[in-house]
Amino acid sequence: MSIKKILLNLDLYLGCCILIVLVIVAVATVISRYIISSPFMWSEEVQVLCFTWISFLGAGVAFRHGAHVSIEMLVDLIPFKIRRYIELVIALFVSVLLCYVGYLSIVYVNQSILLEKTTTILKIPDYLYCLSVPVGCLFMIVSNTVIAVTKFLTQTEATAE
């Protein structure tokens, strides 16, 4: 497997690894609760951390595969030559919005670091939860930009229909 392929799918690989951890912790928790009758008190904190990261890493993967919900009815009615530019403007708008969300989340991460807030049982720093948002936004911006530019440069009127 090439380095390029690994880097292009880094969010997918990280998300899969975190999902494996989530499943292992969930199964271990069920076993400890119902078979040993002694539940792991820390498992909820780990599961929430894993789920948060999976959600934002998965959003980047969804961008890359065009799996986010979109309404293209109006755009499809526009002639091809104009539609290409409108799709490019939409992609630019989405990237700007993601940059803004990423910026706000970085501000929140910095506040979490300054407050030194941690979870109750495992003392996991709160910023590890918050950090998933700017990282996810970064993956979404990269995926959105690559797809928009590639689509703009390679799409012809025959492939658009």
Side-chain angles (χ1 to χ4, degrees):
M1 186 176 297
S2 70
I3 297 292
K4 181 180 178 183
K5 186 174 182 179
I6 291 172
L7 290 176
L8 289 174
N9 292 302
L10 186 60
D11 51 354
L12 179 63
Y13 297 133
L14 289 173
C16 287
C17 291
I18 294 170
L19 180 62
I20 290 168
V21 171
L22 176 65
V23 170
I24 290 170
V25 170
V27 169
T29 302
V30 169
I31 290 171
S32 72
R33 177 172 289 143
Y34 292 108
I35 294 178
I36 304 172
S37 297
S38 177
F40 297 137
M41 301 305 290
W42 51 266
S43 65
E44 182 182 352
E45 292 177 1
V46 174
Q47 289 173 353
V48 169
L49 180 65
C50 289
F51 187 74
T52 304
W53 275 92
I54 288 170
S55 298
F56 285 99
L57 291 173
V61 175
F63 256 96
R64 200 166 42 260
H65 294 285
H68 283 289
V69 176
S70 64
I71 302 173
E72 299 173 346
M73 186 172 62
L74 293 176
V75 176
D76 289 342
L77 296 174
I78 299 170
F80 172 74
K81 291 182 180 182
I82 300 171
R83 182 183 338 149
R84 288 179 65 200
Y85 293 100
I86 289 176
E87 288 174 346
L88 203 59
V89 168
I90 291 170
L92 179 65
F93 177 74
V94 169
S95 290
V96 167
L97 184 63
L98 286 169
C99 284
Y100 181 65
V101 171
Y103 167 75
L104 292 178
S105 62
I106 289 171
V107 169
Y108 189 74
V109 168
N110 286 334
Q111 289 176 349
S112 295
I113 291 171
L114 292 175
L115 293 174
E116 298 178 0
K117 185 177 172 189
T118 61
T119 59
T120 308
I121 298 170
L122 292 178
K123 303 297 181 203
I124 298 172
D126 188 50
Y127 68 85
L128 288 179
Y129 292 88
C130 307
L131 198 59
S132 64
V133 179
V135 171
C137 285
L138 179 65
F139 281 117
M140 287 185 273
I141 291 166
V142 169
S143 295
N144 186 43
T145 304
V146 168
I147 288 171
V149 170
T150 304
K151 186 176 179 181
F152 183 78
L153 295 176
T154 61
Q155 190 178 44
T156 62
E157 194 162 356
T159 60
E161 301 302 324

